[in-house]
Amino acid sequence: MASRSADSRTGNGSPPAVDAVSLAIIEQLQEDGRRPYAAIGKAVGLSEAAVRQRVQKLLDQGVMQIVAVTDPLTVGFRRQAMVGINVEGDLDPVAEALSAMAECEYVVMTAGSFDLMVEIVCEDDDHLVETINKRIRTLPGVRSTESFVYLKLKKQTYMWGTR
C-alpha cells in the first residue's frame, strides 16, 4: 500500500470539505469496506453511480483509504511498540526518515515530553531492538528515545472518522 501524508489538502491548502452525505458513505464503508455501491446508495439516498463518483473523489482528495486491516500477530508481527523521540533541531528530516521505514506505521509530531511519537510493528524482539538501536537512534538529529512495548492490544478501531 502506498503511504499517504495525513495532511492532504485541496489545491488552496485547506482541508477538503466533507458534507453529511459523504460522511454517511464513509460510515457505510467503515462498517464494511466491501459493501456494494448500490447498497450504500440505498442507505444514503444516492444512485450507485453517484456513490461511485463520491467515493473516488474522497479517495483522490486523501480523505479516506480503503484497505484491509490485519491483526499483526496473525501475519507474523509479534512485537509492537510506541516510541517517543526527542530531536535536536528541525523535526521534518527525522519525521521524513522515519516515515520511509517500513516498520513505522504512524509518525506524529507532538507537543509535550516528546517531539515525535512513532508506532512500530516488528517481527520479534530482535527486530524491534535492531529497528530502534541501529536505525532510529542513529538518525541525524535524534537525541533520545523511549520505548513503550505493547503487552496486549485492547482496542483498535478506525471508526472515528464520522463521529
Side-chain angles (χ1 to χ4, degrees):
M1 172 178 78
S3 124
R4 175 187 65 76
S5 173
D7 66 350
S8 295
R9 305 284 183 213
T10 58
N12 63 11
S14 63
V18 180
D19 65 10
V21 175
S22 291
L23 286 174
I25 291 169
I26 292 168
E27 188 174 84
Q28 290 285 310
L29 289 167
Q30 285 180 321
E31 289 174 7
D32 179 358
R34 298 178 357 170
R35 183 165 287 155
Y37 291 148
I40 295 171
K42 185 174 183 181
V44 302
L46 294 177
S47 69
E48 178 179 350
V51 170
R52 185 180 315 279
Q53 288 175 343
R54 279 189 181 242
V55 168
Q56 191 58 55
K57 183 176 180 183
L58 292 166
L59 294 168
D60 292 345
Q61 290 178 328
V63 171
M64 69 174 191
Q65 298 176 41
I66 301 173
V67 298
V69 178
T70 61
D71 175 352
L73 290 173
T74 63
V75 292
F77 296 100
R78 297 185 311 274
R79 182 57 67 212
Q80 292 177 268
M82 187 66 68
V83 180
I85 302 171
N86 285 309
V87 175
E88 292 177 349
D90 190 359
L91 300 180
D92 283 322
V94 178
E96 290 299 321
L98 293 165
S99 296
M101 293 182 191
E103 293 86 355
C104 297
E105 293 295 319
Y106 294 98
V107 178
V108 183
M109 291 182 180
T110 64
S113 300
F114 301 105
D115 297 314
L116 300 167
M117 293 293 292
V118 180
E119 183 180 39
I120 58 177
V121 178
C122 296
E123 294 168 7
D124 53 31
D125 286 337
D126 289 337
H127 186 196
L128 177 68
V129 170
E130 187 272 333
T131 301
I132 294 170
N133 197 42
K134 303 280 191 221
R135 299 181 60 213
I136 294 175
R137 287 184 177 158
T138 60
L139 289 172
V142 171
R143 185 173 22 140
S144 64
T145 65
E146 185 172 345
S147 303
F148 304 90
V149 175
Y150 296 6
L151 298 177
K152 186 172 189 175
L153 184 62
K154 294 297 284 186
K155 180 179 180 180
Q156 182 173 353
T157 181
Y158 298 94
M159 300 300 283
W160 51 265
T162 60
R163 59 179 161 141

